[in-house]
Amino acid sequence: MPRFAANLSMMFTEVDFLDRFGAAAAAGFEAVEFLFPYEFPAEELRARLDEHGLVQALFNLPPGDWAAGERGIACLPDREDEFVASVEAALRYAEALDCPKLHVMAGLPGDPDDASYLDRYIEHVRYAADQAAASGRLILLEPLNPYSVPGYLISSIKQTLPIIEQVDRPNVKLQLDLFHAQLTGGDVAHTIEALGAEGIGHVQLASVPDRHEPDQGELYYPYVLAKLDEVGYDGWVGCEYNPAGDTVAGLGWLDAYRDAP
């Protein structure tokens, strides 16, 4: 049966960020994820996790200047020192929050035909993986669909899997966001079968195409989640969606999974 983690960057936004931990626990979640923790002291986030009995499933490395539109720095030239510092910061937070998985955002290349962006990304992912391996943590790569994030370096699973092979580190895995996967390639059931549990580092979901609760849209999640069970995936499934209305009012889709044996 799937185990769901609330994404606190997108869910429970009716309350301040630090209060979302309690809101998620009160709604029945046992784990959380979010985009970035760096605005808050790690000790404060750790205290919220402990207070509410929550597991930290995932967060991202620092993305560069998010407000200015940057979506990661791993592929960008002349940002090597900043990237090294971002890995160090993420690992400090991961240690404090006991978080096993970190997502390295690739970034937006200035010239999509310039192969040096991909080469730089691969080298930076190797560096992050080698640093993370010392504490047994996974590094995740997530393709982002070109409708939501135009120009992102990696935009499909088909493109990302060969990159993971080139990186050639055992602690580098695919972050399978089913929302992005459906928008770029579809055929998610066969994709899950082909990947198997060993090929999936983390899973996220949302309705397609509106990115709301997963009980609507074109992707039939009861079947997709059963397929994940079938291949033996037993990690967290991050609920990375924008609630269509009040977060708690929209959680009726969870009832079927709460009642399952």
Side-chain angles (χ1 to χ4, degrees), residues 198-233:
E198 67 282 355
I200 301 172
H202 185 66
V203 174
Q204 293 172 319
L205 54 66
S207 72
V208 182
D210 295 326
R211 206 167 192 175
H212 294 321
E213 285 83 352
D215 57 351
Q216 54 185 284
E218 66 186 45
L219 200 54
Y220 185 62
Y221 274 109
Y223 180 83
V224 173
L225 294 172
K227 185 64 65 175
L228 286 167
D229 283 344
E230 183 180 305
V231 302
Y233 176 76

Side-chain angles (χ1 to χ4, degrees), residues 166-221:
Q166 280 187 267
V167 169
D168 192 26
R169 296 294 188 274
N171 64 326
V172 175
K173 301 280 187 180
L174 176 72
Q175 184 167 318
L176 176 59
D177 186 307
L178 295 162
F179 167 77
H180 293 298
Q182 176 69 2
L183 282 171
T184 53
D187 198 22
V188 296
H190 286 136
T191 297
I192 290 168
E193 289 176 347
L195 290 169
E198 67 282 355
I200 301 172
H202 185 66
V203 174
Q204 293 172 319
L205 54 66
S207 72
V208 182
D210 295 326
R211 206 167 192 175
H212 294 321
E213 285 83 352
D215 57 351
Q216 54 185 284
E218 66 186 45
L219 200 54
Y220 185 62
Y221 274 109

Side-chain angles (χ1 to χ4, degrees), residues 10-141:
M10 300 173 74
M11 302 174 70
F12 302 103
T13 58
E14 298 86 356
V15 298
D16 291 339
F17 182 79
L18 291 176
D19 294 327
R20 295 174 198 173
F21 293 83
F29 288 98
E30 297 178 350
V32 297
E33 61 177 35
F34 39 68
L35 294 181
F36 313 110
Y38 311 104
E39 181 181 350
F40 303 95
E43 297 77 13
E44 177 65 29
L45 299 176
R46 176 76 262 170
R48 299 291 173 137
L49 292 169
D50 291 343
E51 178 183 357
H52 301 292
L54 293 167
V55 171
Q56 184 70 48
L58 169 77
F59 62 86
N60 300 340
L61 265 65
D65 191 341
W66 185 266
E70 289 191 327
R71 293 298 180 263
I73 61 173
C75 80
L76 302 182
D78 304 320
R79 306 289 284 273
E80 284 77 11
D81 291 345
E82 184 180 352
F83 183 77
V84 167
S86 79
V87 172
E88 294 174 352
L91 287 173
R92 286 197 302 272
Y93 272 84
E95 182 69 24
L97 305 183
D98 195 21
C99 181
K101 301 175 183 181
L102 298 168
H103 170 217
V104 176
M105 299 193 73
L108 306 170
D111 180 357
D113 296 320
D114 185 344
S116 69
Y117 286 93
L118 179 57
D119 293 341
R120 189 177 299 106
Y121 178 55
I122 289 170
E123 287 304 312
H124 281 161
V125 171
R126 285 175 179 154
Y127 174 81
D130 291 343
Q131 299 303 305
S135 54
R137 304 187 197 281
L138 288 183
I139 293 297
L140 303 178
L141 310 188

